[in-house]
Amino acid sequence: MDSNSDHHERCEAWGLDSSRIPKHVAIIMDGNGRWAKERGESRVFGHINGIDSVRLSVESALELGVKHLTLYAFSTENWNRPKEEVDALMDLLVDTLVKEVSELSNKGVRLRTIGDTAALPDSCQAQLKKAAESTSHQNQLELILALSYSSKWEMVEAVKSIIASGRKAEDVTAEVIADHLTTKDVPDPELMIRTSGEHRISNFLLWQMAYTEFHFSSVLWPDFGKEEFIGAIRDYQNRERRFGGVLDTNHNVQTK
Ligand code: FPP
């Protein structure tokens, strides 16, 4: 990684404050279908073109020093889509992992997943395992793919495992619950981006986003590039985050 002053200059060139880059950005990548429809193409064509935006977001996150990037790539609800579309998305995931994993690793990206990955096809599970293992030592950016993920699924799993652990009701705290979520070792996202002009949270990281800033972009996901990613961070930096308390001049929370 380059020096602090390089990082500072790079952020400044984009009009960003290098000391207030969010550590964790989460994205709901939406609008692939509409993007394809506008071009008279199949929905799958939109997903294929969405991969470029994934690449650009990863590159932007690396450049700015974001440490965790969570992408909502396939929700629990997405299983209800036509079989051809589901199959094509799974194939796309496997193909992309095969093609990109060594490049990701070279850039210092560690890959992991959250979600009910046991529900994914075997070939997908095998590729994901391989990609996670081969990048496990990387530490510039953690790329978290939410696959067969929904917050309600995650919370049900958390409750089941808390009960199975034999804890008494009075010992269940917010920390205990957070510790049983799939994101237990990841800081909560400071910023969530949703593309395509939709203003919904769609069962994504509901617990983790209690204090997250939301940036809604009207741009469809395949058109979401570096400028848009950086614009979202700029928007975030223009907000005051209070967490229900008071901020000091360094934007640190003084009281909750
Ligand atoms: C939402 O657009 C997009 C998805 C459900 C899939 C997103 C997946 C990708 C961009 C590929 C992911 C691959 C990797 C390797 C991370 P939509 O189909 O809901 O669009 P619409 O709302 O316009 O119909």
Side-chain angles (χ1 to χ4, degrees):
M1 186 63 179
D2 51 11
S3 72
N4 277 344
S5 75
D6 286 348
H7 178 241
H8 178 75
E9 274 173 29
R10 204 151 358 90
C11 289
E12 217 165 51
W14 287 106
L16 296 174
D17 175 349
S18 60
S19 70
R20 290 179 56 227
I21 299 294
K23 285 191 182 57
H24 184 179
V25 176
I27 309 184
I28 302 181
M29 311 178 286
D30 199 6
N32 294 348
R34 277 162 284 167
W35 187 91
K37 196 173 177 200
E38 281 174 3
R39 287 157 180 79
E41 297 280 354
S42 73
R43 300 176 53 78
V44 174
F45 183 74
H47 299 317
I48 293 169
N49 280 275
I51 298 291
D52 288 338
S53 301
V54 170
R55 200 177 293 111
L56 289 169
S57 288
V58 168
E59 282 168 11
S60 307
L62 278 165
E63 188 172 325
L64 299 181
V66 171
K67 289 306 206 185
H68 311 268
L69 178 67
T70 301
L71 302 179
Y72 206 4
F74 194 87
S75 70
T76 308
E77 292 76 16
N78 286 155
W79 288 114
N80 298 323
R81 293 196 176 196
K83 185 177 181 315
E84 310 82 72
E85 186 179 349
V86 171
D87 289 349
L89 272 167
M90 295 300 152
D91 288 348
L92 190 57
L93 182 68
V94 172
D95 289 354
T96 307
L97 288 170
V98 170
K99 274 197 216 131
E100 311 261 345
V101 77
S102 66
E103 179 72 14
L104 287 173
S105 192
N106 288 340
K107 289 179 172 159
V109 178
R110 178 171 70 242
L111 192 110
R112 67 178 272 194
T113 57
I114 54 171
D116 185 13
T117 48
L120 300 173
D122 290 347
S123 58
C124 244
Q125 291 186 49
Q127 266 325 313
L128 286 164
K129 187 163 178 268
K130 213 167 141 187
E133 279 169 6
S134 69
T135 61
S136 62
H137 56 293
Q138 300 299 348
N139 62 8
Q140 293 303 317
L141 170 69
E142 181 173 59
L143 175 60
I144 305 170
L145 298 182
L147 290 165
S148 193
Y149 174 87
S150 77
S151 246
K152 289 190 178 182
W153 166 83
E154 180 183 43
M155 288 190 202
V156 169
E157 292 303 305
V159 171
K160 283 183 189 167
S161 72
I162 291 169
I163 291 172
S165 74
R167 260 194 191 72
K168 294 199 198 99
E170 60 266 33
D171 294 333
V172 177
T173 60
E175 285 71 29
V176 168
I177 293 175
D179 256 3
H180 285 79
L181 298 175
T182 55
T183 51
K184 68 175 160 59
D185 43 359
V186 185
D188 289 343
E190 296 97 322
L191 171 65
M192 190 282 284
I193 300 168
R194 183 171 189 150
T195 59
S196 89
E198 305 293 346
H199 296 74
R200 286 188 298 281
I201 195 166
S202 297
N203 216 345
F204 187 44
L205 303 175
L206 300 180
W207 176 278
Q208 297 86 340
M209 298 210 293
Y211 288 103
T212 298
E213 297 289 335
F214 291 173
H215 174 87
F216 296 106
S217 165
S218 57
V219 172
L220 302 177
W221 178 249
D223 288 331
F224 194 86
K226 193 168 173 178
E227 297 270 353
E228 285 75 19
F229 187 94
I230 285 164
I233 309 276
R234 203 177 290 121
D235 180 32
Y236 162 81
Q237 291 195 341
N238 288 332
R239 314 256 181 106
E240 272 200 2
R241 304 190 75 217
R242 293 179 187 278
F243 301 91
V246 180
L247 291 179
D248 65 20
T249 48
N250 293 318
H251 300 272
N252 296 316
V253 182
Q254 291 179 318
T255 53
K256 271 209 170 185

